[in-house]
Amino acid sequence: MLNWRQALALGVVLGALWALLRTRRPGLAIVCREASLIALLFSFWQIIQKVTSSDGGDAIGRAHWIERTQSMLGFPNERSVQNLILGHPDVVRLANLFYASMHFTVMGIFLLWLFFRHRDDYPAVRTTLALSTLGCFFVQFLAVAPPRLLPGYVDTAELYGESVYNAGFSVDNFGAMPSVHILFAAVVGWYTWRVSTSRWRYIGPLHFVVTVFVVVATANHWWLDGVAAIAILIASAWLRHGTLVLWHRWRDPRVATAVAAQPVATGPAASLMDESHR
């Protein structure tokens, strides 16, 4: 795993390669651009981890506030979801493994599938994903402890020695709000269903449902962590769409009308901004 300095340097180098190759080798340049974006986001995420990882007292207090707020709103208690699996050790271990390994893996597969099979929709989804991930990172400056750090909940990964927080990685214990796990799963679930016409497209929404269950059952997130992540995703999709319309309204009002008529989520017109920069 790269540290934030290495990830930042990699992102800058890949960005420079994109600038150099965009006219000579456009295909390779696109790969460099997308990899640069991922590296820079990863670097920024690690910087936030360092800033918020020592905010124990306030993070615990905010977690208790979320717990009380959810109770007033009628959300089921996270411990009641945990009770569904705690009597089944193999299920608990599988949930821990899913939480630790499927987050980036499924997103990577999804982006590759989208890039090679649905290239017209890729720019819109990638930009929305980047904006919403950045939005989550900024919110995480307000540290919030997950349920597993509060009395009454079970840290299932710690129970079976599967915790990523004890594996030597730079992972913040107090970055529960909002849930980037649920954000990524929502992107995969929604856009797979919208973009694909395959009979297998239900796998995307199914991944979202399983992810929500797992992050709650393992006490890694509150329900409201997921609600906040989805709200940021929706806001980011509208922000991308609105910015695209304004850009083309300035450049060519006729194109702006066509873009405005496209769905906010996806659509071939979403790639027009990228094309205009090439």
Side-chain angles (χ1 to χ4, degrees):
M1 178 178 279
L2 301 178
N3 61 41
W4 73 268
R5 292 182 180 86
Q6 293 167 335
L8 178 61
L10 179 61
V12 171
V13 170
L14 289 170
L17 286 174
W18 165 69
L20 291 172
L21 297 173
R22 60 186 302 189
T23 56
R24 302 175 184 177
R25 300 286 298 276
L28 182 59
I30 292 174
V31 174
C32 290
R33 182 187 65 191
E34 301 307 316
S36 173
L37 178 62
I38 293 172
L40 292 174
L41 285 172
F42 184 63
S43 175
F44 187 59
W45 172 70
Q46 290 198 80
I47 292 171
I48 293 176
Q49 303 286 297
K50 293 180 178 294
V51 172
T52 61
S53 59
S54 61
D55 192 21
D58 289 343
I60 296 295
R62 295 184 189 109
H64 282 298
W65 180 86
I66 288 177
E67 185 180 37
R68 293 192 299 270
T69 301
Q70 288 186 163
S71 179
M72 288 189 298
L73 293 174
F75 284 84
N77 184 270
E78 285 78 5
R79 180 56 194 261
S80 66
V81 179
Q82 285 200 288
N83 290 337
L84 298 175
I85 68 170
L86 286 178
H88 308 279
D90 290 338
V91 176
V92 175
R93 291 190 181 96
L94 186 61
N96 292 336
L97 179 63
F98 185 96
Y99 178 82
S101 62
M102 291 294 103
H103 180 42
F104 291 112
T105 302
V106 173
M107 177 54 69
I109 293 171
F110 166 76
L111 289 175
L112 288 172
W113 166 78
L114 194 66
F115 184 82
F116 288 107
R117 297 295 300 272
H118 300 277
R119 184 71 62 86
D120 284 346
D121 291 304
Y122 178 83
V125 179
R126 178 257 288 135
T127 303
T128 301
L129 174 63
L131 289 172
S132 54
T133 302
L134 277 172
C136 285
F137 288 170
F138 280 115
V139 174
Q140 284 182 354
F141 275 113
L142 191 67
V144 175
R148 60 185 173 78
L149 296 183
L150 269 61
Y153 302 93
V154 179
D155 188 338
T156 59
E158 184 73 26
L159 183 65
Y160 289 97
E162 298 174 307
S163 177
V164 296
Y165 301 94
N166 297 329
F169 300 123
S170 176
V171 182
D172 179 17
N173 272 294
F174 302 122
M177 169 68 77
S179 172
V180 179
H181 272 75
I182 291 182
L183 170 70
F184 279 19
V187 169
V188 171
W190 173 252
Y191 287 108
T192 299
W193 188 260
R194 285 297 301 262
V195 169
S196 178
T197 57
S198 168
R199 60 177 180 172
W200 297 103
R201 63 179 181 160
Y202 67 85
I203 293 176
L206 178 62
H207 170 69
F208 170 73
V209 172
V210 172
T211 299
V212 172
F213 177 80
V214 164
V215 301
V216 174
T218 57
N220 279 291
H221 286 287
W222 305 99
W223 294 109
L224 288 181
D225 297 341
V227 172
I230 293 173
I232 290 172
L233 174 59
I234 293 171
S236 298
W238 277 100
L239 175 62
R240 182 208 62 81
H241 186 73
T243 302
L244 194 65
V245 172
L246 290 175
W247 168 263
H248 287 295
R249 186 168 293 168
W250 175 61
R251 294 288 299 272
D252 189 339
R254 293 171 299 176
V255 175
T257 301
V259 173
Q262 291 291 323
V264 173
T266 57
S271 63
L272 287 176
M273 180 177 282
D274 274 15
E275 293 294 336
S276 66
H277 282 88
R278 291 178 185 173

